[in-house]
Amino acid sequence: MLEYTPWLSWVFPILGALLTPALARIHPRVRDYAAVGFSGLGAFMAFLMFLGYPQVLKGEASAGFYPLSVEWIRVAGVQVKAGMLVDPLSVLMANVAAWIGLLIMVYSLGYMRGDPALTRYWFFMNLFIGNMVLLVLADNLLLLFIGWEGVGLCSYALIGFWHRDSPEDRKTRWVGEGAEEYPPSHCGMKAFLTTKVGDIFLLVAIFLIYSQAGTFSFLELQGNLAWARSLAEMGLLIPAALFLLGGPLGKSAQLPLMEWLPDAMAGPASVSALIHAATMVKAGVYLVARVFPIFFSAMHSGLPSLIVFFQAVAWAGALTAFVAATQAVVSREIKKVWAYSTVSQIGYMMLALGIAGFLTGDALVAAFAAALFHLVSHALFKATLFLSSGSVSHACESRFMDDMGGLRRLMPFSFLSMFIGALALAGVPPLSGFWSKEGILKSVVEAFQASAQAPFLYTLAALTVGLTFFYSLRVVGLVFLGGKSAHLQKAEKLGHHVHEAPPLMWIPYLALALITVAIGALAPLLLEGFLSMFSPSLSTLAHLEGGEAMEAHSPLGEWLVLLTSTLMLALGGIPAYYAYVAGRWNVKAWVERRPELKALQVFLLRRWYINQAYYRVFVDPALKLSDRAHRVLEFHGLLRFSSLVASGVTTLYSRLRKTHTGVFNDYAVGLMGGLTLLIVLLVWLGLGG
Amino acid sequence: MVPIAFSAIALAVGGRLGKYAGWLAFAVLTYTTGLLGFILFQLRSWGGSLVASYPWGRYLGDFTLVADGLSTPFALVISMLAALIAIYSISYMEHERNLHAYFALYLLYSAGMMGTVLVTNLAAFFVFFELMLIPSWALIGVWGTGAREKIAFKYFMFTEAGALFLLAGIVTARFLAGTFDVFAIAAGMERVSVGTAVAIVSAILLGLFVKMAIFPLHTWLPDAHAEAPTPISALLSPAMVGIGGYAAIRIVYTAFPMVLGHGQFVMALVVLAVVTMIYGGYMALAQDDIKRLLAYSSISQMGYLLFGVVSLSALGLTGAVLIYVSHGLGKAILFMVAGIFIHTLHTRSIRELGGLAGRMPYSATATLLGFLTLMGAPPLIGFWGEFFTFGGSIYTGTGFGGVTAPNLTRIWVTGIAVVFSAMTAGYGLWTVRRVFFGGTPEPLKEAKEGPRLMTAPILVLAVVAVVLGIYPTVLTNVAAPFLSQLLSGLTPAMGS
């Protein structure tokens, strides 16, 4: 029975999604609780995988299991199998997705109450969870791609959930400011299209790999690397590897495809928490981790140029981490800060996975485990942050932090949760984020010997630590401390008082915050667990090069990391404390006085002008060009062509008219004559050849 | 097989039953659909194909109908669409006159399409090819909108001019090979040079490309699709134009395999396919009339279909079949939804529509699914279509099947095609957003879902698109082995 759990863990949520419309007919309450129930069943099944496959926990499952792998489609020599791959990585990811998903479903019961389109909401939420779990458990690239597209579709539907785009909701349901303010339906479309660009590259990579390997299966791809060599002979191996990276860069919102995620905040807070923090955006990290062993072993079996893949991953991650963090510093919208921060933190995970490719031995295992540990800890604290932000914006009826302020006593549970989440995000010891971020930084230091690029990567990563602490404290200060904003005072005069969210909402995010604390306390133990879980499956990789295996952490590296991160925390934290917690510095006035700072603020608020550049380069010209081409080619060109043909026919007709009487005959003779000529011509050609 | 073609024609002539004519048409077409469905499921156990052959004339040869792995999926889709759209017509055309004539022509048109697909004698093929042209010309000219006579004339002239090239090619082949039978031509062409074969195939393809509206022969299509009565648009675009793709597979791969060894000729076709894909998509972005947008989208989709046809691999050909099915289902859904707008809201301008998702939930869901299958998103049938099509081309490019030597140009062209497939998602989702999301304009505040006779066929097609997407084996089981066999017979022929 237990061997069915990998299948059931995604089938249950999808079944729940399909039943939602039917259950809605019975009673709306039945529908709501059933939806949560089905995701709960899925989560329970995900948990049972630990019992069904105890080897996974012990890290003995290096070979992976294929419970019930079935043939799905066979076309002209191409065989597509549907099977589940159970290994430490997939079980971990499935449980993160299913359990955080469940808590967010519970939160939704309160948060989304009274929405007229709840059937659609539950349908896509459950469909999303099902597809996400399918994605991480799939044993081959194609099945993974199907789940991948499924979560993309759900995110499109959920970001644009409030698709009416009504101007009255501008303060709560839209996103962005000024020229870059977008309604929800625009954001949903933008997310889908941007990630689709990455997905298309991924698809090309899948084709290329399959054309030489004849299999989609991860384990078979790793087992026999002949395909990599024959791709390399054609000069297609590096393109294939980089195209494959396109998918993760899009889905995980890394540069250059990060611009959709900040705007995805137009969706409900629960959606942001589930999709744009805890699960879907991690799919890219998961895929990189999944193909890591494949490319790594190919690199060490005579294809050293593949290091480009790992360099690309590391640089994309480090640059994104830094760029997104700078944007988070100035954003005025609470959820958007967390969105930038999500992008930035995923950058850390990518960095660690890229760096792992530079390393060998225990250092490799440590880097790999650090990336995944950060993934788990980030999923927990970022879900807390988003869910509590949802409560706060809901209570204040605004998405702007300028409209909040002084909420600490009014919303104590939300305050506590967000405070813990923010400190964990900033990497303040001893919370979970501290351990996971330290692990990543240490790995980058270890790579100093292996690569001259590592110090640059380290600088970016270290700077980001300071920025992260700064913006985390800024949010807590602006929202919960200080005096009430003008917006809130006006609302109170009208008799609208801010109060704490109902328990159905705060229990989930407080629980997540407490788990974050617990993980922080148990981190050293958990890290050991992570290492022992991953090292057996990675040890074959780690010792590919034999003698020169690297130590996990050198003492010098430990000190360097401790020193820089303390320094950066101080650099980020002290100004933030004076400006936003103690309230002694008036940052606003200060920025106003200095034009260069003002320019910097605008530059960051406008998102480094990347978003705008994309619209200017890709969207607007495409629309303009199609409009112009349509007018010139289809309309005027055709008109001229038609009139030319018409006048030609008329001339011909009037000439023939002199010798013939009937119109039909003119045509018939012309047609027959032409036809005969053509046939004679073709036959002549045929006999000649 | 024979009853299909003939009963339809016979009933069309006798179908003067007033308003019940629609139901009669539905009954006939449902019968053929059932028959073809039965054949589809039995095909493997019957040894790959079902043949019905009758002597026709000494010069013309036998009149043969064949249902095999290639023709059956096409014929089944045509028949199913025709049956469902007949129901839709009953409601859509309720205020029109001369309905019995409409349905008689409708049946004739459907029979013409099915006949074109099932017949193997090229002379008979040409007759059916004309048979689907003439009724559709009349249907557009009489029941269409706008400058309908002029547009119908343009449609007729373009297709007819193409058809003459087709006829020239067919007759030339008869002279050289001594037979009209598509399966026998290849043997008779052995002593003919590749250059001549290329010339003949070019003439035939020219005729087919007009039908498929391949760039730059596409100009009749936007007009005809936009101004035809919507049920006919929903048959023209999904069912009829793709038949050109079917015929290209059938005629070129079966009768003139030596042409496929001509690398430059094939590459030219590949490039033509990609240009059509991109051009159609770009034009779709510029449209405000929803039916015109769908028409340009059809041009783009025909590019995909042609791309599959010239992929030179069984995988790619299977992809082409699935793209035909996907486009058939998806585009029929979309045209029928456009028809609901015209019928109930009296507008077809995207600018005048908006925020309809809450008011027309079934149409909104079906439209989204329709566009998703066109853009090749799983779990819809279109995903497999695009996946196999592009995959097939890449395998040919890397020399995977051993049909040709590795060809990097093909890989890069395929890459360009795949990248531009994002454009389908672009115009599709943008249209969904403009029509269904956002605020509702004042005149549409009272908008309601279309009548049940109109929504039911749409939902049936949407469900079929999803079911086939999850379990495409129903089609691939039949199509893929046949096409593999076709291709395996091809390799030696191409070497010559």
Side-chain angles (χ1 to χ4, degrees):
Chain A
M1 180 58 207
L2 283 174
E3 68 265 33
Y4 294 93
T5 49
W7 289 83
L8 293 175
S9 60
W10 60 270
V11 166
F12 271 124
I14 288 182
L15 193 68
L18 296 177
L19 287 177
T20 304
L23 293 170
R25 301 242 153 161
I26 304 173
H27 195 276
R29 298 252 112 196
V30 177
R31 169 197 65 191
D32 300 353
Y33 287 108
V36 178
F38 274 104
S39 73
L41 274 173
F44 183 60
M45 290 297 148
F47 171 73
L48 282 184
M49 270 193 276
F50 284 119
L51 302 183
Y53 302 93
Q55 307 93 317
V56 169
L57 266 182
K58 293 184 207 141
E60 289 163 7
S62 57
F65 297 88
Y66 293 84
L68 297 172
S69 174
V70 291
E71 182 182 292
W72 187 11
I73 299 162
R74 181 201 289 274
V75 173
V78 174
Q79 189 193 30
V80 181
K81 278 188 176 173
M84 298 294 116
L85 174 60
V86 180
D87 75 351
L89 182 61
S90 64
V91 172
L92 182 76
M93 291 293 297
N95 275 286
V96 169
W99 283 100
I100 295 184
L102 176 62
L103 283 174
I104 291 170
M105 292 292 268
V106 173
Y107 172 87
S108 302
L109 283 174
Y111 182 75
M112 296 300 289
R113 176 184 300 236
D115 195 284
L118 268 178
T119 305
R120 181 157 50 95
Y121 179 81
W122 294 122
F123 177 85
F124 279 111
M125 287 295 268
N126 257 331
L127 194 64
F128 171 82
I129 295 174
N131 271 307
M132 182 70 203
V133 177
L134 168 66
L135 185 169
V136 296
L137 285 170
D139 75 342
N140 65 66
L141 273 169
L142 191 62
L143 197 58
L144 172 136
F145 188 76
I146 286 171
W148 185 275
E149 290 288 293
V151 293
L153 175 65
C154 294
S155 90
Y156 161 73
L158 288 168
I159 295 169
F161 181 72
W162 287 315
H163 59 66
R164 280 185 210 285
D165 301 351
S166 53
E168 303 101 72
D169 293 338
R170 252 191 142 113
K171 244 185 157 83
T172 47
R173 292 177 177 178
W174 290 35
V175 71
E177 300 171 69
E180 287 169 302
E181 181 173 22
Y182 303 113
S185 71
H186 181 100
C187 301
M189 188 174 74
K190 183 177 182 180
F192 196 70
L193 291 180
T194 316
T195 53
K196 186 88 187 169
V197 170
D199 295 354
I200 281 166
F201 284 101
L202 171 59
L203 196 59
V204 176
I206 294 178
F207 288 144
L208 285 175
I209 292 172
Y210 185 85
S211 73
Q212 297 306 311
T215 178
F216 295 110
S217 155
F218 296 118
L219 292 182
E220 287 170 26
L221 283 177
Q222 195 183 344
N224 181 357
L225 291 165
W227 60 271
R229 274 185 283 279
S230 57
L231 270 182
E233 274 165 29
M234 302 166 82
L236 288 171
L237 180 63
I238 302 302
L242 294 180
F243 285 172
L244 188 129
L245 190 56
L249 292 184
K251 203 61 107 195
S252 291
Q254 300 292 290
L255 282 173
L257 295 174
M258 68 171 269
E259 290 305 320
W260 66 270
L261 197 141
D263 291 326
M265 296 303 120
S270 46
V271 170
S272 306
L274 178 61
I275 300 186
H276 308 117
T279 58
M280 183 181 88
V281 290
K282 304 290 172 60
V285 181
Y286 165 78
L287 181 56
V288 172
R290 177 54 77 202
V291 298
F292 181 91
I294 300 173
F295 284 138
F296 190 83
S297 40
M299 180 170 77
H300 284 284
S301 55
L303 298 166
S305 59
L306 264 178
I307 190 74
V308 175
F309 173 77
F310 298 104
Q311 285 168 347
V313 173
W315 275 104
L319 283 173
T320 311
F322 178 72
V323 171
T326 58
Q327 297 177 5
V329 167
V330 297
S331 176
R332 291 172 60 227
E333 294 153 79
I334 179 165
K335 268 169 68 186
K336 218 166 168 186
V337 175
W338 302 139
Y340 288 127
S341 141
T342 300
V343 175
S344 168
Q345 298 300 309
I346 292 171
Y348 273 126
M349 298 166 210
M350 289 289 186
L351 171 63
L353 286 176
I355 281 291
F358 298 179
L359 301 169
T360 52
D362 290 343
L364 179 153
V365 181
F368 194 87
L372 290 165
F373 189 45
H374 195 55
L375 187 151
V376 175
S377 69
H378 175 259
L380 293 165
F381 63 67
K382 197 47 74 65
T384 314
L385 290 171
F386 268 111
L387 295 180
S388 50
S389 305
S391 293
V392 170
S393 331
H394 194 67
C396 298
E397 292 181 339
S398 172
R399 59 193 159 93
F400 295 103
M401 290 188 287
D402 309 357
D403 291 339
M404 301 168 183
L407 295 175
R408 181 162 56 122
R409 288 185 201 292
L410 296 170
M411 305 183 73
F413 296 118
S414 303
F415 168 69
L416 187 63
S417 308
M418 201 185 287
F419 191 57
I420 294 172
L423 291 182
L425 166 66
V428 173
L431 292 162
S432 63
F434 166 76
W435 302 100
S436 50
K437 206 175 284 182
E438 292 300 278
I440 291 173
L441 291 176
K442 276 177 202 157
S443 299
V444 182
V445 171
E446 292 311 314
F448 278 15
Q449 305 167 328
S451 164
Q453 298 169 1
F456 297 103
L457 297 168
Y458 185 76
T459 314
L460 284 172
L463 286 174
T464 307
V465 172
L467 290 169
T468 310
F469 198 23
F470 182 85
Y471 69 68
S472 306
L473 278 183
R474 174 172 171 264
V475 171
V476 174
L478 283 177
V479 173
F480 291 103
L481 308 176
K484 281 180 191 159
S485 64
H487 171 81
L488 284 183
Q489 287 167 1
K490 203 172 107 192
E492 277 184 6
K493 269 187 203 141
L494 293 171
H496 175 85
H497 288 276
V498 171
H499 49 77
E500 183 58 280
L504 207 54
M505 284 162 74
W506 64 254
I507 289 175
Y509 54 77
L510 191 62
L512 285 165
L514 293 178
I515 297 172
T516 299
V517 176
I519 287 188
L522 299 172
L525 278 177
L526 281 172
L527 261 174
E528 280 300 306
F530 261 67
L531 285 175
S532 67
M533 227 163 104
F534 287 109
S535 53
S537 54
L538 290 174
S539 61
T540 42
L541 294 180
H543 299 287
L544 270 177
E545 281 196 322
E548 35 178 319
M550 293 158 82
E551 291 280 319
H553 296 303
S554 55
L556 188 71
E558 303 250 354
W559 282 107
L560 181 64
V561 169
L562 208 57
L563 200 69
T564 35
S565 55
T566 318
L567 184 71
M568 290 319 294
L569 282 178
L571 273 179
I574 293 169
Y577 177 81
Y578 280 111
Y580 300 107
V581 179
R584 286 197 214 148
W585 294 357
N586 189 346
V587 183
K588 254 188 196 158
W590 196 48
V591 171
E592 290 300 329
R593 271 202 309 271
R594 317 212 28 174
E596 70 276 10
L597 276 183
K598 184 74 194 160
L600 180 65
Q601 188 194 25
V602 170
F603 176 70
L604 296 179
L605 262 180
R606 300 303 303 274
R607 306 156 73 163
W608 293 46
Y609 294 104
I610 301 173
N611 182 49
Q612 203 183 0
Y614 282 172
Y615 276 91
R616 289 257 168 94
V617 175
F618 294 113
V619 182
D620 300 342
L623 293 180
K624 214 172 280 171
L625 181 74
S626 75
D627 208 47
R628 178 156 316 155
H630 178 246
R631 244 179 305 138
V632 173
L633 288 176
E634 293 284 287
F635 199 72
H636 294 296
L638 262 186
L639 222 60
R640 190 160 306 157
F641 174 75
S642 306
S643 62
L644 219 78
V645 170
S647 66
V649 169
T650 321
T651 323
L652 195 71
Y653 170 75
S654 53
R655 282 197 196 149
L656 289 172
R657 201 175 146 118
K658 290 169 188 160
T659 48
H660 291 265
T661 47
V663 179
F664 176 76
N665 285 348
D666 293 353
Y667 273 114
V669 168
L671 294 180
M672 290 313 291
L675 197 56
T676 319
L677 216 65
L678 204 59
I679 294 169
V680 168
L681 195 71
L682 289 173
V683 171
W684 177 71
L685 269 174
L687 297 180
Chain B
M1 289 317 306
V2 181
I4 295 163
F6 281 88
S7 69
I9 294 165
L11 283 159
V13 178
R16 299 175 185 278
L17 292 169
K19 66 175 184 175
Y20 296 106
W23 289 108
L24 181 67
F26 171 65
V28 172
L29 293 164
T30 311
Y31 170 68
T32 60
T33 310
L35 212 55
L36 285 163
F38 176 71
I39 291 169
L40 184 76
F41 282 105
Q42 296 295 319
L43 218 43
R44 295 208 77 173
S45 52
W46 286 347
S49 65
L50 176 65
V51 184
S53 191
Y54 305 90
W56 197 12
R58 255 197 69 209
Y59 181 74
L60 295 169
D62 289 345
F63 181 92
T64 309
L65 293 169
V66 64
D68 56 22
L70 180 59
S71 58
T72 315
F74 278 85
L76 182 60
V77 169
I78 294 168
S79 179
M80 184 175 70
L81 290 180
L84 288 170
I85 293 169
I87 305 185
Y88 179 87
S89 294
I90 296 171
S91 180
Y92 186 83
M93 302 294 287
E94 60 194 354
H95 305 302
E96 298 281 346
R97 286 145 49 88
N98 292 332
L99 278 187
H100 57 285
Y102 170 85
F103 280 111
L105 285 169
Y106 181 94
L107 275 175
L108 206 58
Y109 177 43
S110 313
M113 287 193 286
M114 279 183 261
T116 312
V117 171
L118 293 171
V119 80
T120 68
N121 183 314
L122 286 181
F125 171 82
F126 184 74
V127 171
F128 278 115
F129 197 78
E130 292 288 301
L131 186 61
M132 65 184 179
L133 171 62
I134 294 163
S136 56
W137 164 72
L139 286 165
I140 297 174
V142 177
W143 288 277
T145 54
R148 56 183 181 231
E149 285 93 352
K150 192 175 151 202
I151 282 161
F153 180 71
K154 185 176 171 189
Y155 161 59
F156 189 86
M157 287 318 290
F158 261 93
T159 318
E160 195 56 46
L164 288 174
F165 279 97
L166 175 64
L167 185 59
I170 291 175
V171 174
T172 314
R174 166 74 177 87
F175 270 114
L176 295 175
T179 175
F180 276 125
D181 191 337
V182 76
F183 293 110
I185 286 179
M189 294 289 285
E190 264 168 6
R191 57 183 190 83
V192 178
S193 76
V194 173
T196 314
V198 167
I200 295 173
V201 167
S202 302
I204 292 178
L205 285 183
L206 200 64
L208 298 177
F209 284 178
V210 173
K211 186 113 269 183
M212 282 173 84
I214 295 298
F215 177 88
L217 306 171
H218 64 278
T219 56
W220 63 271
L221 185 140
D223 285 330
H225 282 28
E227 304 306 344
T230 304
I232 302 304
S233 309
L235 268 186
L236 275 176
S237 172
M240 188 188 77
V241 292
I243 290 178
Y246 158 80
I249 302 178
R250 175 65 88 200
I251 297 177
V252 177
Y253 278 80
T254 321
F256 303 99
M258 55 290 216
V259 172
L260 299 170
H262 194 293
Q264 284 151 336
F265 181 66
V266 173
M267 266 323 283
L269 293 179
V270 171
V271 171
L272 202 60
V274 175
V275 170
T276 306
M277 258 179 224
I278 298 173
Y279 185 79
Y282 254 118
M283 289 302 114
L285 278 176
Q287 303 306 316
D288 178 56
D289 179 338
I290 189 162
K291 280 178 79 176
R292 244 167 212 282
L293 184 147
L294 297 177
Y296 279 108
S297 148
S298 292
I299 295 174
S300 172
Q301 289 288 312
M302 286 306 112
Y304 287 92
L305 181 54
L306 180 62
F307 194 80
V309 170
V310 293
S311 67
L312 305 191
S313 80
L315 188 67
L317 289 178
T318 311
V321 173
L322 295 187
I323 286 206
Y324 177 80
V325 175
S326 146
H327 177 244
L329 299 171
K331 201 49 73 62
I333 291 172
L334 295 172
F335 267 115
M336 287 199 271
V337 171
I340 292 185
F341 295 148
I342 296 170
H343 188 75
T344 63
L345 308 175
H346 308 291
T347 179
R348 49 203 275 184
S349 161
I350 294 176
R351 219 166 291 148
E352 291 173 18
L353 297 166
L356 292 171
R359 293 179 173 79
M360 307 175 81
Y362 296 122
S363 299
T365 312
T367 305
L368 184 60
L369 288 172
F371 273 122
L372 286 175
T373 190
L374 292 190
M375 69 181 79
L380 287 130
I381 179 73
F383 169 71
W384 298 107
E386 283 194 18
F387 187 77
F388 292 150
T389 301
F390 291 135
S393 185
I394 286 199
Y395 299 158
T396 307
T398 53
F400 180 65
V403 181
T404 54
N407 180 346
L408 273 184
T409 325
R410 184 184 262 278
I411 293 183
W412 287 114
V413 173
T414 310
I416 292 170
V418 180
V419 169
F420 272 92
S421 70
M423 210 160 54
T424 315
Y427 70 73
L429 294 181
W430 193 38
T431 308
V432 169
R433 171 164 184 250
R434 287 182 294 168
V435 171
F436 288 107
F437 300 157
T440 318
E442 201 50 44
L444 304 183
K445 290 282 187 220
E446 300 296 309
K448 279 204 301 275
E449 188 61 272
R452 214 167 266 184
L453 277 183
M454 293 171 84
T455 50
I458 295 173
L459 291 175
V460 170
L461 290 179
V463 170
V464 172
V466 176
V467 169
L468 285 179
I470 294 168
Y471 198 67
T473 312
V474 181
L475 293 174
T476 55
N477 246 351
V478 174
F482 177 80
L483 293 168
S484 302
Q485 211 181 359
L486 187 65
L487 261 256
S488 64
L490 201 67
T491 321
M494 274 170 45
S496 66

